[in-house]
Amino acid sequence: MWFIKNSITRKNLMALTGLFLCLFLVIHLLGNFQLLLPKEEARLQYNLYSDFLSNNILVKLISYGLYASILIHTLDSIYLTIKAKKAKGSSYVKDNRGRASKWYSRQMMFLGSIVFAFLVIHFKDFWFVYKFGTLPLDTNGNKDLYGLVLVSFENLWYVLLYGFAILSLGFHLLHGFFSAFRTIGLYNPKYNSIIKTVGIVFAIAITFGYFIIPFYMYLID
Amino acid sequence: MVIHLKIWRQKNQHTKGYLESYTLNEVDAEMSFLEMLDSLNLKLAKQGERPVEFDHDCREGICGQCGVMINGIAHGPLKNTSTCQLHMRSFKDGDTIYVEPFKAKAFPVIRDLKVDRSGLDEIIAAGGYISVNTGQAPEANSILVSHEESESAFDSAACIGCGACIATCKNASAALFTSAKISQLAKLPQGQKESSKRTVDMVNRMEELDFGHCTNTEACQVECPQDISVLNIAQMNYEYNKAKLKS
């Protein structure tokens, strides 16, 4: 398998899974915007939507791709971080190299770890409960995921935890989005500047979009 | 002006290095950084001590031999400048300056500030050339190259191979160096014929030599004496991916 051998191909995997996850972020956010509807309307519609997602065969297939992407992205980053640590050699006594780059571009592993830890919590609290736990049914007979969301975001610390994780994700995207395009080989200066701008807009939009939901849910209850 | 120095001293690859403090009382602001080190060495030689060893050759910023970490920055505080082109007017009277060698696993210290950068030569040897026998010089207009293309290739070719990109990179990646050599040739028709093989061979050699991977922090371009563009790295990735997809 040629794509396992070296770090450029490893980085390709990282970039492609990352971009796929970016696409997922958009879809997930658009779906979750239904939470912002008036309470009872949101309950019925969101539960219906969740039921559709968990029973549609196409969505199911894409979700396996999603789980695989998260795992490949994570394992690859661990592999590359260990490799880079070996390449570095001893450290400098006086180190001012940070002036040449953005802090978040150097802390992708740290930011990614926060996002991964958040994902574990997020999966455990919603995905796992929805799939394997018992939830009351709404008036349409669908599992009441909306109710679970509402109860979860009653806690301020939980809302703040989400805020922190989303902010970390935002900085991760701020570097990751354009970096992914560079990795797969976009070298045209014009398109690079476009992608850089798109990346900034994308990171801000995703951060802001995801920010609204937990705070809104906290405030309406 | 008075300058306090903290300089990395290390006898050889197998001994541990340490920072030694020196003070120079008569440093001229118009001295180059290397002349300042020369004056230190003169002083040490007179005292019967072993001088501080450092690499240098042309002292005009084009050979790529000099290169040390000055206050934790490759080639010192000025951006896009080599160590030899840095002058003491960039420092203030009474400053303490840390001088350390470039550090990376692929750059073992030979002595003091001198490091073994032969890994870069090995990357070039793996394919950084055109191997076709060209015979006599062809008629100038038989292969047309636009002005923009030739300028762009020249920008990449301006890399002096000093290793500052590797010393600056948090992963000790040689991506900027290798990519500059790859794209310099890939941008011109004469080099394009062998581009795939060259790219794969040079990238593989870079990997074998234990350089790290590129995470696009773009720090390398900021400290590069020649301001080599990070887009060369993207072109290297493009050439590599293309070669792998075709094979």
Side-chain angles (χ1 to χ4, degrees):
Chain A
M1 290 223 292
W2 61 266
F3 54 86
I4 302 289
K5 271 184 203 155
N6 73 41
S7 52
I8 291 188
T9 33
R10 286 269 177 184
K11 284 285 291 176
N12 279 330
L13 271 182
M14 194 82 145
L16 294 173
T17 51
L19 288 175
F20 178 68
L21 293 172
C22 281
L23 187 69
F24 165 76
L25 282 175
V26 177
I27 310 286
H28 190 54
L29 181 64
L30 291 177
N32 283 356
F33 273 152
Q34 293 171 93
L35 291 165
L36 304 181
L37 289 167
K39 212 166 174 178
E40 283 319 303
E41 196 184 339
R43 186 187 298 275
L44 293 180
Q45 192 171 326
Y46 191 71
N47 293 342
L48 181 70
Y49 169 74
S50 308
D51 191 63
F52 163 76
L53 287 188
S54 55
N55 290 316
N56 186 298
I57 183 75
L58 190 67
V59 176
K60 215 164 217 166
L61 284 176
I62 295 171
S63 74
Y64 293 138
L66 177 74
Y67 308 144
S69 290
I70 294 172
L71 278 180
I72 293 170
H73 200 79
T74 310
L75 293 174
D76 228 18
S77 69
I78 295 169
Y79 172 88
L80 287 169
T81 305
I82 292 169
K83 203 174 164 211
K85 216 172 177 77
K86 281 185 192 156
K88 253 188 296 192
S90 55
S91 52
Y92 295 105
V93 178
K94 182 99 173 168
D95 193 346
N96 279 324
R97 291 177 298 166
R99 75 155 188 180
S101 56
K102 301 273 195 301
W103 70 268
Y104 51 82
S105 75
R106 299 191 303 273
Q107 299 298 340
M108 289 298 274
M109 186 64 187
F110 175 66
L111 293 167
S113 305
I114 295 172
V115 174
F116 187 80
F118 162 77
L119 279 180
V120 173
I121 298 169
H122 191 59
F123 266 70
K124 180 187 136 300
D125 287 355
F126 295 106
W127 180 86
F128 187 81
V129 176
Y130 189 80
K131 290 250 169 183
F132 306 106
T134 45
L135 280 175
L137 302 180
D138 66 11
T139 49
N140 283 346
N142 293 320
K143 284 184 183 177
D144 189 15
L145 185 62
Y146 180 83
L148 179 65
V149 175
L150 208 57
V151 171
S152 301
F153 290 119
E154 273 175 4
N155 290 321
L156 184 62
W157 66 264
Y158 199 72
V159 173
L160 292 176
L161 174 82
Y162 266 63
F164 177 66
I166 291 161
L167 202 63
S168 305
L169 173 70
F171 279 112
H172 196 76
L173 291 175
L174 203 54
H175 178 73
F177 189 85
F178 95 89
S179 177
F181 283 90
R182 287 276 178 83
T183 300
I184 54 177
L186 185 82
Y187 67 90
N188 180 303
K190 189 177 121 192
Y191 292 127
N192 258 289
S193 61
I194 294 173
I195 285 294
K196 245 188 172 162
T197 314
V198 171
I200 293 168
V201 173
F202 177 77
I204 293 171
I206 289 287
T207 310
F208 189 69
Y210 277 107
F211 240 97
I212 296 172
I213 299 167
F215 286 97
Y216 174 82
M217 299 304 281
Y218 175 73
L219 290 175
I220 59 165
D221 215 38
Chain B
M1 56 203 266
V2 177
I3 292 291
H4 305 286
L5 292 162
K6 287 189 184 296
I7 297 185
W8 187 264
R9 303 302 309 258
Q10 185 171 341
K11 199 158 185 203
N12 57 46
Q13 246 185 71
H14 310 291
T15 52
K16 253 184 100 111
Y18 58 94
L19 280 179
E20 180 83 59
S21 301
Y22 301 99
T23 298
L24 291 175
N25 294 316
E26 292 178 345
V27 175
D28 194 308
E30 301 311 314
M31 273 179 174
S32 78
F33 192 82
L34 295 184
E35 281 168 342
M36 182 274 294
L37 287 181
D38 289 339
S39 72
L40 169 71
N41 278 343
L42 194 63
K43 190 177 147 191
L44 290 178
K46 278 181 184 165
Q47 290 168 359
E49 290 177 46
R50 186 169 63 79
V52 178
E53 293 196 20
F54 60 92
D55 275 325
H56 63 102
D57 190 8
C58 74
R59 301 204 177 195
E60 291 178 336
I62 52 170
C63 75
Q65 279 301 301
C66 63
V68 287
M69 292 299 274
I70 300 164
N71 282 338
I73 298 166
H75 294 302
L78 295 183
K79 286 182 183 171
N80 306 128
T81 307
S82 60
T83 302
C84 62
Q85 296 298 293
L86 177 71
H87 290 77
M88 296 313 292
R89 52 180 173 265
S90 294
F91 300 92
K92 289 195 301 290
D93 187 28
D95 270 1
T96 301
I97 306 172
Y98 286 75
V99 191
E100 293 174 74
F102 286 171
K103 286 177 182 172
K105 189 173 171 244
F107 281 174
V109 172
I110 299 170
R111 179 173 283 181
D112 299 336
L113 304 172
K114 253 164 72 176
V115 295
D116 180 3
R117 288 174 287 187
S118 57
L120 301 185
D121 299 330
E122 287 190 43
I123 294 174
I124 295 284
Y129 46 79
I130 293 171
S131 61
V132 285
N133 191 350
T134 51
Q136 289 205 321
E139 201 277 316
N141 290 326
S142 60
I143 303 172
L144 297 177
V145 179
S146 74
H147 176 69
E148 289 77 12
E149 275 172 43
S150 75
E151 282 298 315
S152 165
F154 187 72
D155 284 345
S156 302
C159 166
I160 55 175
C162 65
C165 45
I166 293 137
T168 299
C169 178
K170 73 180 182 74
N171 300 334
S173 168
L176 192 69
F177 169 81
T178 310
S179 68
K181 304 302 174 190
I182 287 172
S183 56
Q184 148 203 344
L185 294 167
K187 280 170 181 169
L188 294 175
Q190 294 88 340
Q192 277 158 8
K193 288 274 177 275
E194 295 173 288
S195 188
S196 294
K197 187 179 181 309
R198 173 188 306 121
T199 307
V200 173
D201 289 347
M202 288 176 78
V203 166
N204 287 344
R205 196 76 194 102
M206 173 176 78
E207 295 276 324
E208 288 160 11
L209 290 165
D210 284 333
F211 287 105
H213 65 287
C214 172
T215 49
N216 299 311
T217 66
E218 303 185 338
C220 49
Q221 184 178 352
V222 176
E223 308 299 3
C224 171
Q226 297 293 332
D227 195 17
I228 301 292
S229 167
V230 287
L231 293 181
N232 284 303
I233 300 174
Q235 181 161 13
M236 170 176 76
N237 295 341
Y238 171 81
E239 295 288 339
Y240 185 84
N241 291 338
K242 193 174 74 176
K244 281 295 176 186
L245 288 171
K246 276 202 295 193
S247 67

